[in-house]
Amino acid sequence: MNAEANGTSPDRPMSVVFGYSDSDDRMWVRIGDGPLLWWITRRLALRMIGQWAALVERTVPAEAGAGSPAAPPAADERTRRAALEHRGALAPQVLPAGSAAAEPPAPPGTSALLYGAEIGVAGDKMRFVLRSAGNRQAFETPRGDAHRLLAAFVSRCRRNGWLDSPLPEWLR
C-alpha cells in the first residue's frame, strides 16, 4: 500500500492497523507510521463498507474471454465477479484460528475524527482519501490489498458489534 500525507512518500510500503475504543464506541485507524490516528464513528464506518463494496462490484475487472467489452455486465454478473476477486485476494492469507489477543489501547498520535472518506479506482489500484477538519491523508493500494483491507475493516466492525445492516453475500 502507498500513502501520501504529512511528508510520507507515495512509494513507501504502508501498514494499516485497526482498533476499537469501547468507552468511545469508535474505532481507530493508523495508516503507516504517520502521526494521525483516525477515529471513525459507527455510522461512517457502515456507510464506508457499503460504498466500498458497491465500488468493488461496479469496477471489478472482466474475466479474460468473458462477455462483450462493449456491454457492461449485469448486476448479478458483477456480484459474481466481485465474489471471485474477493475470494482470490483472501485465499493466500492464513489466519490462526481463535487467536484473539486483548484489544491494544489506541497508540499515541494526533487524533483526527474522520468526517469523510473518498474511495476511487484508478486502473488496477484503489485510492483512499481520508479527511477531517484540517487533515487529509491519501493512499492507494492494488485491488487485492484493497480486498484484504476491506475484509479486515469488516472484521473489525463485526468485533465492535456494529454490523446490524446486511452485507453483500461475497463480503460475509
Side-chain angles (χ1 to χ4, degrees), residues 98-133:
S99 63
E103 183 68 46
T110 303
S111 291
L113 179 61
L114 186 72
Y115 70 70
E118 300 166 23
I119 306 171
V121 174
D124 64 344
K125 296 190 183 233
M126 294 190 85
R127 181 169 176 75
F128 301 82
V129 180
L130 308 179
R131 298 182 192 281
S132 72

Coordinates of all heavy atoms in Angstrom, one line a residue, residues 98-133:
G98 N -8.9 -18.6 16.3 CA -9.1 -18.3 17.7 C -7.9 -17.5 18.3 O -7.7 -17.6 19.5
S99 N -7.2 -16.7 17.5 CA -6.0 -16.0 18.1 C -6.4 -14.6 18.4 O -5.7 -13.7 18.0 CB -4.9 -16.0 17.1 OG -5.2 -15.4 15.9
A100 N -7.5 -14.4 19.1 CA -7.9 -13.0 19.5 C -7.1 -12.6 20.7 O -7.3 -13.1 21.8 CB -9.4 -13.0 19.8
A101 N -6.2 -11.6 20.5 CA -5.5 -11.1 21.6 C -6.3 -10.0 22.3 O -7.3 -9.5 21.7 CB -4.1 -10.5 21.1
A102 N -5.8 -9.5 23.4 CA -6.5 -8.4 24.1 C -6.4 -7.2 23.2 O -5.4 -7.0 22.5 CB -5.9 -8.2 25.5
E103 N -7.5 -6.4 23.3 CA -7.5 -5.2 22.4 C -6.4 -4.2 22.9 O -6.4 -3.8 24.0 CB -8.9 -4.5 22.6 CG -9.1 -3.3 21.7 CD -9.1 -3.6 20.3 OE1 -9.8 -4.6 19.9 OE2 -8.4 -2.9 19.5
P104 N -5.5 -3.8 22.0 CA -4.5 -2.9 22.4 C -5.1 -1.5 22.5 O -6.1 -1.1 21.9 CB -3.5 -2.9 21.2 CG -4.3 -3.3 20.0 CD -5.4 -4.2 20.6
P105 N -4.5 -0.7 23.4 CA -5.0 0.7 23.5 C -4.6 1.5 22.2 O -3.8 1.1 21.5 CB -4.3 1.3 24.7 CG -3.0 0.4 24.8 CD -3.4 -0.9 24.3
A106 N -5.3 2.6 22.0 CA -5.0 3.4 20.9 C -3.6 3.9 21.0 O -3.2 4.4 22.1 CB -6.0 4.6 20.8
P107 N -2.8 3.9 20.0 CA -1.4 4.3 20.1 C -1.4 5.9 20.2 O -2.4 6.5 19.8 CB -0.8 3.9 18.8 CG -1.9 3.7 17.8 CD -3.1 3.3 18.7
P108 N -0.3 6.4 20.7 CA -0.2 7.9 20.8 C -0.1 8.5 19.4 O 0.3 7.8 18.4 CB 1.1 8.1 21.5 CG 1.9 6.8 21.3 CD 0.9 5.7 21.1
G109 N -0.6 9.7 19.3 CA -0.5 10.4 18.0 C -1.6 11.5 18.0 O -2.3 11.6 18.9
T110 N -1.6 12.3 16.9 CA -2.5 13.3 16.8 C -3.9 12.7 16.4 O -3.9 12.0 15.4 CB -2.1 14.3 15.7 OG1 -0.8 14.8 16.1 CG2 -3.1 15.5 15.6
S111 N -4.9 12.9 17.2 CA -6.2 12.4 16.9 C -7.0 13.2 15.9 O -6.9 14.5 15.9 CB -7.1 12.3 18.1 OG -6.5 11.3 19.0
A112 N -7.6 12.6 14.9 CA -8.5 13.3 13.9 C -9.8 12.5 13.8 O -9.7 11.3 13.5 CB -7.7 13.4 12.6
L113 N -10.9 13.2 14.0 CA -12.2 12.5 13.8 C -12.5 12.5 12.3 O -12.6 13.6 11.7 CB -13.3 13.2 14.6 CG -14.7 12.6 14.4 CD1 -14.7 11.2 14.9 CD2 -15.7 13.5 15.2
L114 N -12.6 11.3 11.7 CA -12.8 11.2 10.3 C -14.2 11.7 10.0 O -15.2 11.3 10.6 CB -12.7 9.7 9.9 CG -12.8 9.5 8.4 CD1 -11.6 10.0 7.6 CD2 -13.0 8.0 8.2
Y115 N -14.3 12.7 9.1 CA -15.7 13.1 8.7 C -16.0 12.8 7.2 O -17.1 12.9 6.8 CB -15.9 14.6 9.0 CG -15.2 15.6 8.1 CD1 -15.5 15.8 6.8 CD2 -14.2 16.3 8.7 CE1 -14.8 16.7 6.0 CE2 -13.5 17.3 7.9 CZ -13.8 17.4 6.6 OH -13.1 18.3 5.8
G116 N -15.0 12.3 6.5 CA -15.3 11.9 5.1 C -14.2 11.0 4.6 O -13.0 11.2 4.9
A117 N -14.6 10.1 3.7 CA -13.6 9.2 3.1 C -14.0 9.1 1.6 O -15.2 8.8 1.3 CB -13.5 7.9 3.7
E118 N -13.1 9.2 0.7 CA -13.4 9.0 -0.7 C -12.6 7.8 -1.1 O -11.5 7.6 -0.8 CB -12.9 10.2 -1.5 CG -13.5 11.5 -1.2 CD -12.7 12.7 -1.8 OE1 -12.0 12.5 -2.8 OE2 -12.9 13.8 -1.2
I119 N -13.3 6.9 -1.8 CA -12.7 5.7 -2.3 C -12.9 5.7 -3.8 O -14.0 5.8 -4.3 CB -13.3 4.4 -1.7 CG1 -13.3 4.6 -0.1 CG2 -12.6 3.2 -2.1 CD1 -14.1 3.5 0.6
G120 N -11.8 5.5 -4.6 CA -11.9 5.5 -6.0 C -11.0 4.5 -6.6 O -10.3 3.8 -5.9
V121 N -11.2 4.3 -7.9 CA -10.4 3.3 -8.7 C -9.6 4.0 -9.8 O -10.2 4.8 -10.5 CB -11.3 2.2 -9.3 CG1 -10.5 1.3 -10.1 CG2 -12.0 1.5 -8.1
A122 N -8.4 3.6 -9.9 CA -7.5 4.1 -11.0 C -6.8 2.9 -11.5 O -5.8 2.4 -10.9 CB -6.6 5.2 -10.5
G123 N -7.2 2.4 -12.7 CA -6.6 1.2 -13.2 C -6.8 0.0 -12.3 O -7.9 -0.3 -11.9
D124 N -5.7 -0.6 -11.9 CA -5.7 -1.8 -11.1 C -5.5 -1.4 -9.6 O -5.2 -2.3 -8.8 CB -4.7 -2.8 -11.5 CG -3.3 -2.3 -11.4 OD1 -3.1 -1.1 -11.3 OD2 -2.4 -3.2 -11.5
K125 N -5.6 -0.2 -9.2 CA -5.5 0.3 -7.8 C -6.7 0.9 -7.3 O -7.5 1.5 -8.1 CB -4.3 1.2 -7.8 CG -3.0 0.6 -8.1 CD -1.8 1.5 -7.8 CE -0.6 0.8 -8.3 NZ 0.4 0.7 -7.3
M126 N -6.8 0.9 -6.0 CA -7.9 1.6 -5.3 C -7.2 2.8 -4.5 O -6.2 2.6 -4.0 CB -8.7 0.7 -4.4 CG -9.5 -0.3 -5.2 SD -10.7 -1.2 -4.2 CE -12.1 -0.1 -4.3
R127 N -7.9 3.9 -4.6 CA -7.3 5.1 -3.9 C -8.3 5.5 -2.8 O -9.5 5.6 -3.0 CB -7.1 6.2 -4.9 CG -6.6 7.5 -4.3 CD -6.2 8.5 -5.4 NE -5.7 9.7 -4.9 CZ -4.6 10.0 -4.3 NH1 -3.7 9.0 -4.2 NH2 -4.2 11.1 -3.9
F128 N -7.7 5.8 -1.6 CA -8.4 6.2 -0.4 C -8.0 7.6 0.0 O -6.8 7.8 0.1 CB -8.2 5.2 0.7 CG -8.6 3.8 0.4 CD1 -7.7 3.0 -0.4 CD2 -9.8 3.3 0.8 CE1 -8.1 1.7 -0.7 CE2 -10.2 2.0 0.5 CZ -9.3 1.2 -0.3
V129 N -8.9 8.5 0.3 CA -8.6 9.8 0.8 C -9.4 10.0 2.1 O -10.7 10.0 2.0 CB -8.9 10.9 -0.2 CG1 -8.5 12.3 0.4 CG2 -8.2 10.7 -1.5
L130 N -8.8 10.2 3.2 CA -9.4 10.4 4.5 C -9.3 11.9 4.8 O -8.3 12.5 4.6 CB -8.7 9.6 5.6 CG -8.6 8.1 5.3 CD1 -7.8 7.4 6.5 CD2 -9.9 7.4 5.0
R131 N -10.4 12.4 5.3 CA -10.5 13.8 5.6 C -11.1 14.1 7.0 O -12.0 13.4 7.4 CB -11.3 14.6 4.6 CG -10.8 14.5 3.2 CD -11.7 15.3 2.3 NE -11.4 15.1 0.9 CZ -10.4 15.6 0.2 NH1 -9.5 16.4 0.8 NH2 -10.1 15.3 -1.0
S132 N -10.5 15.1 7.7 CA -11.1 15.6 8.9 C -10.9 17.1 8.9 O -10.3 17.7 7.9 CB -10.4 15.0 10.1 OG -9.1 15.5 10.3
A133 N -11.3 17.8 9.9 CA -11.1 19.3 9.9 C -9.6 19.5 10.0 O -8.9 19.2 10.9 CB -11.8 19.9 11.2

